Amino acid sequence: ACYWPPKRAWNLRLVRGSEFCNVFRISAALQQRLLARGLPEGPLIGVHFRAGDQMPAHWKDPPRHGLGELDEFLDCAESLEASFGWKAHIVLFADTDKVLEVPRVQSLRESGKLIWPAQTDSLVHLDRSPATLTVRGLLRVWADWWTLAFDVHALILCHSGFGATALEIGPERPAFLGKGCVPAEGSTG
């Protein structure tokens, strides 16, 4: 069984029953990484934003979303929060730490509304980073994916297999594509 002490009871029920967890067992290292995040109680909205071409020293990827489009993803998260009457935190995952330079991200972080769980020295792209960089950041990326798949109550995604698999494997919950804020279904990758 796939067990670790989650903060949310619904998580434990779904993770234990998940076919995914019949195949994969959480490692002690991943469990430690997840618990160290100290995610707050209450609703969490996971945002996965992929710029693509903003880390050329680390990998080559075509442009996906310009940094200026991040506001649209955040608008979508806040709209979803309002529609459910939640007082939620936004957990932002991105393939570049340049998102931290976006004024709105800075403001939301300062207010405590937005959480950036990444360690910027270990940002990697699983299928585009050189092996030496990928090995260093693999545990962090796995923790990011696990958080999107099992720890957030709603998802705002870009077109990427990373977020799409988290949507497909995790529990059913509200999910939207950040661009246009349209409902996302399980095959968004």
Side-chain angles (χ1 to χ4, degrees):
C2 185
Y3 174 78
W4 69 284
K7 290 182 173 186
R8 295 161 191 87
W10 66 270
N11 230 356
L12 178 59
R13 181 176 44 81
L14 290 168
V15 170
R16 275 191 173 160
S18 169
E19 286 300 316
F20 175 82
C21 293
N22 291 329
V23 178
F24 298 99
R25 183 168 294 145
I26 191 168
S27 71
L30 178 58
Q31 180 178 350
Q32 182 179 3
R33 175 68 64 118
L34 290 166
L35 291 173
R37 289 195 160 166
L39 294 176
E41 293 293 333
L44 300 172
I45 300 172
V47 175
H48 180 238
F49 181 82
R50 185 170 173 187
D53 63 346
Q54 294 298 306
M55 299 290 282
H58 297 273
W59 61 78
K60 292 183 188 273
D61 196 16
R64 306 293 176 141
H65 294 283
L67 293 175
E69 293 177 58
L70 183 53
D71 278 332
E72 189 173 356
F73 283 63
L74 297 172
D75 287 343
C76 186
E78 289 179 340
S79 174
L80 182 133
E81 175 187 29
S83 73
F84 281 95
W86 290 347
K87 184 175 178 170
H89 287 88
I90 297 169
V91 187
L92 176 61
F93 298 97
D95 63 349
T96 176
D97 57 0
K98 290 183 180 180
V99 297
L100 300 175
E101 299 168 11
V102 174
R104 186 158 171 206
V105 169
Q106 292 173 344
S107 174
L108 288 169
R109 282 186 80 201
E110 288 169 9
S111 74
K113 177 84 173 167
L114 186 139
I115 301 161
W116 169 258
Q119 295 172 326
T120 55
D121 66 339
S122 63
L123 285 174
V124 299
H125 194 289
L126 286 177
D127 63 348
R128 300 198 186 259
S129 296
T132 53
L133 184 62
T134 301
V135 168
R136 189 176 77 210
L138 188 59
L139 183 60
R140 184 206 55 85
V141 170
W142 186 229
D144 290 352
W145 181 87
W146 187 277
T147 300
L148 282 172
F150 298 112
D151 290 335
V152 298
H153 298 85
L155 293 166
I156 308 299
L157 304 170
C158 58
H159 284 284
S160 167
F162 189 80
T165 56
L167 171 60
E168 291 174 4
I169 292 172
E172 187 174 324
R173 63 239 148 124
F176 292 83
L177 293 174
K179 186 74 177 159
C181 201
V182 296
E185 296 184 13
S187 56
T188 60

